[in-house]
Amino acid sequence: MDFIETPNKTQPYWLVKFKSDDDVRLLTNRSVSLRSSMELWAYSDTIEDLHRDMKEFPYELLSPYMQENQSFKIEVETFCYELLSPYMQENQSFKIEVETFCKHFTQKEKVDKLEAFSYLPVKGKVKLKNPDIVFQYIEYYGTDPKSPPQHPYMVFFGRWIGNGLRQLIQNLSLKTRKFIGNTSMDPQLSLLMANQAQVRSGDIILDPFVGSGSLLVAAAQFGGYVLGTDIDYLMLHARTRPSRITQKERDKDESVKANMAQYNLDHKYLDVLVNDFAIQFWKEDLRFDAIITDPPYGIREATEKIGTSKENCTISEEHLPTHIPKLLVCWFPIFRDDYNEDGLPTNTCLKLVANSEQILNKHTSRRLLTYEKIGEPRGDNAEHRNNIMDFRSKYYDTREETRKERRMRKALERHTKSDRKS
Amino acid sequence: MLTSKCMKGVNIGYPLKIKAVDLKESEVDFNPDFISRIIPKLDWTVLISAANSIGKNENLPENLLPEYEKNTEFLKRVHHVLLEIDVVNGELICPESGRKFPINNGIPNMILNEDEV
């Protein structure tokens, strides 16, 4: 795949070059953020120019798509802020937002736009349900839904090829999931993580901090067979306090397995077990294809470890001496001011291949790290703890500070008030 | 896939014995590719004795068949033993120390006490 135009974060579309339809489908079928892909026949910054270009199009090139025996339909779309930023949409309300805030057209206006293409030498019949060919017409009105311009910035016409997996984000929504916890990962990020881990059919995937199994659901969706462990007995047996505010107590049958069954993925469920991550029960020659995990940061869920040593409990996966997977995908919380890439955990067997940031607030963010295995572990593997200041202690230190400050300020305010009164 | 080697005084800790109190059999989708891929990751003799110990051998042979990838009927039986039999309640037992790890609701509890590590 080559970019024809340098990708631009504020633009909701990308112009790219592919060798074949099949390559496009391969990518589209696995993409969580992509809405759809089309073969671009014409694009322009005015509607008139687009139609002129289409009228002059060398139709012999298009004839395979315009045969008598093929049915077709034309889709009209007005494009607004359908940004690929993974953290802005995901739930249904966003979808409605798009439709409301987008430059809106009545059905009549849409039909007019569609009929402007009447010059296309298509021979087949229009069919709205399951046509053989779908033509797509997109008018792009910028990224500010509040004040769309009168005329579109760009218009596109071409042949629709495929849709991405955006629908899956809603199908796997946490709102309708049987068993969730306080820190269940949202489906979009879970699916992105499974993609980072390149999960393929038949892979064995482990999440050593499994919780309610959100990451396993996503991994299984792409064909992974999943194993999970967690130190929290009550969580795995769904005996913790329910995470939904409307729920008084958890259902008897809540479990990671029930989640898998909800999405018809129960045949991908291998097992979960209660286990301290720092104590290895896995047999030495067992190899996982990928470890996908969101270790506890010790803030929303406590970190626990059995043992007397007082060292910091957030142990990163690199400390698994004998079970380095082909790919390791995990989150790592940081203070943004302290961050530099050299401070991330390293291991001689692993190479950092991807590193993306999700900003949590002004000071903190978490980084999604993908490591690839570059060698088998030897006895002398140099593991490095991160040099970034311990996230948990700093988090509480700085919070303590603001609490204290607030108390002081409140006291001062009360004091001045009573002074004024007297 | 599990060992109790991490315990104090246990050298090999493999294979763990299985004691099944409640067994549940279910039917899940069969994926021959996955079964073919997982067989080389398993210790076949251990799998057979584990299946025997819970009385669910499914006529699996003592020795792994050559060219098992092509033998769908065989793969189906392995599939059944691996994915369709769930020990709902029971125990995993360390072969050296006799330490019992309880299985409740299909979830083994491998947590050790401080003095066992």
Side-chain angles (χ1 to χ4, degrees):
Chain A
M1 183 186 99
D2 295 313
F3 284 102
I4 296 173
E5 239 178 40
T6 326
N8 174 343
K9 264 193 171 173
T10 58
Q11 227 166 249
Y13 56 84
W14 286 350
L15 300 182
V16 291
K17 206 168 162 177
F18 275 93
K19 279 207 185 93
S20 71
D21 266 25
D22 288 342
D23 284 0
V24 180
R25 276 192 202 99
L26 268 181
L27 186 95
T28 310
N29 290 345
R30 267 307 273 265
S31 176
V32 181
S33 310
L34 187 72
R35 182 172 170 186
S36 68
S37 54
M38 70 192 264
E39 182 180 66
L40 191 58
W41 289 354
Y43 70 111
S44 165
D45 48 10
T46 67
I47 296 176
E48 295 73 34
D49 283 359
L50 178 104
H51 282 290
R52 195 199 58 216
D53 288 354
M54 278 313 295
K55 278 174 189 159
E56 288 166 6
F57 207 90
Y59 280 107
E60 51 286 7
L61 291 179
L62 303 181
S63 59
Y65 306 115
M66 302 201 169
Q67 296 305 310
E68 275 171 52
N69 54 1
Q70 285 170 328
S71 56
F72 71 95
K73 90 170 181 190
I74 300 182
E75 272 189 357
V76 179
E77 252 188 76
T78 50
F79 220 127
C80 200
Y81 199 29
E82 270 277 347
L83 191 64
L84 303 162
S85 154
Y87 315 118
M88 298 191 53
Q89 1 74 359
E90 128 207 36
N91 45 29
Q92 272 180 319
S93 62
F94 182 74
K95 237 191 157 177
I96 298 163
E97 213 179 353
V98 174
E99 286 173 9
T100 327
F101 286 106
C102 241
K103 181 139 186 174
H104 193 74
F105 289 97
T106 61
Q107 196 56 34
K108 166 83 173 62
E109 283 170 318
K110 282 187 182 171
V111 170
D112 287 347
K113 287 178 189 297
L114 204 145
E115 283 185 342
F117 285 97
S118 55
Y119 56 83
L120 284 179
V122 277
K123 293 171 186 154
K125 280 182 188 148
V126 178
K127 195 177 155 198
L128 295 180
K129 250 189 190 169
N130 301 321
D132 299 317
I133 311 280
V134 177
F135 300 108
Q136 213 171 24
Y137 173 59
I138 299 174
E139 292 181 355
Y140 169 56
Y141 287 92
T143 54
D144 181 8
K146 285 183 188 117
S147 54
Q150 198 189 347
H151 299 290
Y153 292 117
M154 285 302 267
V155 283
F156 304 89
F157 186 76
R159 179 175 59 92
W160 172 86
I161 298 177
N163 282 343
L165 296 178
R166 295 278 288 272
Q167 186 54 41
L168 204 51
I169 297 169
Q170 263 150 54
N171 296 350
L172 301 182
S173 170
L174 293 179
K175 287 182 180 170
T176 48
R177 190 171 297 173
K178 176 89 189 165
F179 174 42
I180 60 165
N182 295 343
T183 55
S184 288
M185 185 67 65
D186 80 68
Q188 179 160 18
L189 290 175
S190 305
L191 290 163
L192 285 170
M193 287 173 81
N195 266 346
Q196 283 300 104
Q198 300 174 20
V199 176
R200 263 170 269 214
S201 174
D203 280 358
I204 300 183
I205 311 294
L206 171 71
D207 180 355
F209 301 99
V210 67
S212 62
S214 324
L215 302 180
L216 297 188
V217 165
Q221 189 71 45
F222 292 126
Y225 282 74
V226 297
L227 280 165
T229 68
D230 206 301
I231 197 167
D232 191 344
Y233 178 93
L234 293 174
M235 183 72 202
L236 287 189
H237 286 276
R239 292 293 167 267
T240 50
R241 277 175 52 195
S243 296
R244 289 189 173 90
I245 199 153
T246 50
Q247 201 177 352
K248 282 252 161 51
E249 53 186 52
R250 288 193 183 268
D251 295 343
K252 280 243 153 37
D253 56 345
E254 285 187 33
S255 68
V256 175
K257 195 177 186 179
N259 279 348
M260 303 294 285
Q262 180 180 356
Y263 305 117
N264 297 319
L265 295 169
D266 38 347
H267 59 292
K268 302 274 165 60
Y269 174 90
L270 295 179
D271 210 354
V272 298
L273 37 107
V274 186
N275 173 204
D276 182 350
F277 171 68
I279 297 172
Q280 276 315 312
F281 273 91
W282 300 113
K283 202 164 155 267
E284 265 178 49
D285 56 0
L286 178 66
R287 292 288 178 271
F288 300 110
D289 292 295
I291 291 181
I292 308 176
T293 194
D294 182 25
Y297 319 145
I299 289 162
R300 287 211 290 170
E301 291 286 4
T303 48
E304 284 177 73
K305 184 181 176 228
I306 313 285
T308 43
S309 61
K310 288 249 165 70
E311 60 169 314
N312 179 305
C313 304
T314 329
I315 297 153
S316 46
E317 297 58 45
E318 291 73 30
H319 294 245
L320 251 176
T322 50
H323 303 294
I324 298 203
K326 274 190 239 155
L327 280 149
L328 163 68
V329 180
C330 64
W331 290 97
F332 191 80
I334 52 146
F335 273 84
R336 297 171 68 199
D337 291 342
D338 295 350
Y339 175 75
N340 78 68
E341 197 178 306
D342 299 336
L344 293 174
T346 59
N347 183 299
T348 43
C349 302
L350 291 168
K351 185 180 149 203
L352 184 68
V353 290
N355 175 359
S356 350
E357 182 183 34
Q358 181 189 23
I359 294 174
L360 299 171
N361 61 35
K362 207 170 134 205
H363 302 293
T364 62
S365 68
R366 55 178 179 178
R367 291 199 159 255
L368 180 60
L369 307 177
T370 307
Y371 292 91
E372 206 173 83
K373 183 178 186 173
I374 50 170
E376 282 294 325
R378 301 179 311 267
D380 59 340
N381 274 316
E383 290 166 8
H384 296 289
R385 291 195 82 96
N386 62 86
N387 308 317
I388 298 173
M389 191 185 164
D390 176 55
F391 183 77
R392 184 172 179 272
S393 40
K394 183 162 178 179
Y395 184 88
Y396 284 110
D397 283 355
T398 47
R399 239 174 51 149
E400 197 56 41
E401 202 64 46
T402 52
R403 255 190 220 151
K404 220 183 273 170
E405 275 170 11
R406 199 172 57 208
R407 251 199 325 267
M408 296 293 280
R409 201 191 59 224
K410 286 264 163 78
L412 203 69
E413 277 170 14
R414 276 196 300 274
H415 189 68
T416 36
K417 248 186 223 167
S418 58
D419 268 3
R420 250 181 258 149
K421 271 181 199 164
S422 62
Chain B
M1 290 184 181
L2 297 169
T3 82
S4 51
K5 205 179 145 186
C6 52
M7 287 175 67
K8 206 193 273 176
V10 173
N11 293 321
I12 302 169
Y14 184 82
L16 300 179
K17 284 183 232 157
I18 305 174
K19 186 183 159 198
V21 177
D22 280 338
L23 273 182
K24 203 176 124 193
E25 289 185 60
S26 54
E27 203 176 306
V28 297
D29 293 356
F30 169 59
N31 175 356
D33 293 339
F34 171 70
I35 301 299
S36 313
R37 272 180 66 183
I38 198 158
I39 287 174
K41 296 193 181 203
L42 301 169
D43 187 328
W44 185 257
T45 346
V46 170
L47 176 71
I48 297 302
S49 57
N52 286 338
S53 72
I54 56 169
K56 291 287 166 190
N57 179 284
E58 299 299 309
N59 298 320
L60 290 176
E62 289 294 323
N63 294 307
L64 192 51
L65 302 179
E67 302 202 329
Y68 57 82
E69 305 91 336
K70 293 171 191 153
N71 189 339
T72 314
E73 195 266 335
F74 169 75
L75 293 176
K76 267 192 179 152
R77 278 185 282 145
V78 181
H79 163 80
H80 181 70
V81 170
L82 286 179
L83 296 178
E84 298 185 326
I85 298 175
D86 199 7
V87 179
V88 181
N89 291 303
E91 279 163 358
L92 292 173
I93 303 158
C94 167
E96 282 167 55
S97 64
R99 166 69 149 94
K100 291 171 180 167
F101 300 96
I103 305 173
N104 297 314
N105 274 323
I107 303 174
N109 184 356
M110 310 306 285
I111 296 285
L112 295 169
N113 292 324
E114 277 180 28
D115 57 354
E116 291 175 300
V117 183

